[in-house]
Structure formats: structure tokens, C-alpha cells
Amino acid sequence: MMKKQEVYNITFGGVGGQGIITASELLGWAALYDGCSVKKSEVHGMSQRGGSVESHVRFGRKVYSPLIGLGQADFLLCFHPDEHPRLKPFLRKGGTDLMPYLEKVQQIADNPRAVNTGLMGVLAAFLPIRPDSWERAMQKVFKPSILEVNRRMFSNAMALVK
């Protein structure tokens, strides 16, 4: 877990149908349940045809704007390798690029639809959000019928971070 800072900036990216919006909602709810101020934005033009999807989540003591400028993201989560070059300029110098975890998470996923939740487990290992806040967020975001598979994927992927 990284040192607690004033505001955390996380950029998500991928293509339509990968659950980018759901993943960013999961983070937003977890941060909110943890007592943080949260702002979120989404860009999903042709997402239903496999186009680019991008989401920004900012949380901390007080957040005034939902947008993350170039070179300001603390974390970059790409759910599709083709989107990585486009979104990498958002990552600040010294920020954490979680792209190396994508293949590892795909390898442990029983269900390919839960890969996004796996990457959220990886992200959670770096953030100062309490486990009970993540649990409440999962209960809010996922239907009961898919909660357990996502809960298990989140936990298994979180363990990938050493």
C-alpha cells in the first residue's frame, strides 16, 4: 500500500464491453464508503462497437474536478493492450502503470468477464482503502448472482501484488 496522499488520480481505459465503467464505479463507491470525496468522468463514444472507453476517478480529502490532465494520473489501468499507448501520457512521472498485471490476471481468471475485477484487486493492493469499503462497493455494483465470482477474482488478483 502506498503512502496516503491528498488526492489519488486513476485513469482507466479499454474498449467497449470490457467493464471499464463498472470498474471505475467500483473504485468510486469504495472510496466514497471509505469517507473520501470522489469525482468520476467517462468517455465512451463508439463503445458498443468495440471503440475506446476511458474513465477518470479522483478521490481524496477534497476533489473539485473529475478530469485528470496529461501527466497527472497516479495509476493507469488498461484493460486492452491497444489502448495503452493512447492513455500512457496521462500517467505522471513516477506513477504506477498496472499494464504488466493484465496478462497475469488473465492467466488466473476462471471467467474472462471477471478480468476487470481482477485488475481492480491489483489496484486495491496499492490504495489506502479499507477492505470493508471494497466489500461494500462490490455488493453495491455486482448483482448477487455474480458477486462471489467477482469477490474471488478480486482477492486472488490482489495477492499477485508482492
Side-chain angles (χ1 to χ4, degrees), residues 130-144:
R130 294 185 310 260
D132 62 312
S133 297
W134 284 109
E135 175 58 30
R136 285 181 67 195
M138 281 193 262
Q139 291 175 11
K140 175 78 175 176
V141 171
F142 299 120
K143 296 182 293 190

Side-chain angles (χ1 to χ4, degrees), residues 1-160:
M1 187 177 294
M2 69 189 296
K3 182 180 169 192
K4 199 161 192 160
Q5 60 191 43
E6 287 288 318
V7 175
Y8 292 86
N9 299 312
I10 297 94
T11 299
F12 297 81
V15 296
Q18 290 190 299
I20 288 92
I21 304 304
T22 300
S24 63
E25 284 180 17
L26 182 63
L27 174 58
W29 282 109
L32 191 66
Y33 288 139
D34 219 55
C36 297
S37 171
V38 178
K39 299 286 185 202
K40 177 176 168 288
S41 70
E42 304 163 355
V43 176
H44 42 99
M46 296 295 283
S47 60
Q48 292 180 348
R49 296 182 182 211
S52 296
V53 179
E54 181 179 320
S55 183
H56 296 183
V57 177
R58 302 183 73 221
F59 70 92
R61 287 187 185 168
K62 191 65 186 161
V63 179
Y64 297 100
S65 168
L67 297 177
I68 299 171
L70 295 177
Q72 296 179 342
D74 300 300
F75 294 93
L76 176 62
L77 273 79
C78 285
F79 296 79
H80 194 284
D82 289 351
E83 291 297 304
H84 189 255
R86 183 178 70 81
L87 296 171
K88 193 162 183 179
F90 280 99
L91 193 62
R92 69 171 170 77
K93 186 177 182 180
T96 303
D97 186 349
L98 298 181
M99 191 68 201
Y101 287 97
L102 178 60
E103 191 174 320
K104 294 175 186 175
V105 169
Q106 289 171 328
Q107 288 173 353
I108 66 167
D110 294 336
N111 181 340
R113 297 183 75 183
V115 168
N116 58 350
T117 305
L119 280 175
M120 294 305 296
V122 169
L123 176 65
F126 291 96
L127 296 176
I129 295 176
R130 294 185 310 260
D132 62 312
S133 297
W134 284 109
E135 175 58 30
R136 285 181 67 195
M138 281 193 262
Q139 291 175 11
K140 175 78 175 176
V141 171
F142 299 120
K143 296 182 293 190
S145 62
I146 61 170
L147 179 59
E148 187 52 39
V149 68
N150 282 287
R151 186 184 284 142
R152 188 173 48 249
M153 188 64 203
F154 183 90
S155 178
N156 290 343
M158 187 180 219
L160 292 173

